Amino acid sequence: AWGGSDSGEDTRTTVMIKGLTASDTVQTLAEMLVIGGFGGHFDYAFVPLDRTEHPGVYRCFGNAFVNFSSHEWASAAVRMNVT
C-alpha cells in the first residue's frame, strides 16, 4: 500500500509496471512475474484493458499495477527494471 511508516521509512509494496504489449493480460503478467522469480511474492495484479471495436476483444493500455508481499520484493522488482 502507499505511504510510509511513522519513522519515515519507505514501506510501499505496490508498483506500476510499464511497457506491456497490447495483447498482455493479467495471466501473461503473472507468468512473467513467476518466470522472473517473483512467484508467491505478489498478491494482486491489475492490468487495465480497453475495449476494441470487436465485441469481447480487449487491449492492454500498456501498464499494470502489482502489489508485492513486502517492500523488499517491490524494491527488487524496481531494481530489476520490472517497472
Side-chain angles (χ1 to χ4, degrees):
W2 300 107
S5 67
D6 292 337
S7 68
E9 180 182 343
D10 190 357
T11 58
R12 292 177 288 182
T13 57
T14 304
V15 298
M16 180 178 185
I17 296 176
K18 299 178 182 178
L20 298 178
T21 67
S23 62
D24 281 325
T25 64
V26 170
Q27 181 67 32
T28 58
L29 173 62
E31 290 169 1
M32 287 186 278
L33 290 168
V34 169
I35 290 168
F38 295 96
H41 300 289
F42 63 96
D43 59 6
Y44 181 79
F46 174 65
V47 177
L49 300 175
D50 187 22
R51 291 185 218 185
T52 66
E53 62 276 1
H54 306 289
V57 178
Y58 298 90
R59 179 179 52 226
C60 175
F61 279 109
N63 58 33
F65 299 90
V66 177
N67 187 66
F68 290 91
S69 57
S70 70
H71 174 69
E72 289 73 26
W73 282 104
S75 294
V78 171
R79 283 192 304 274
M80 289 183 66
N81 291 320
V82 170
T83 57

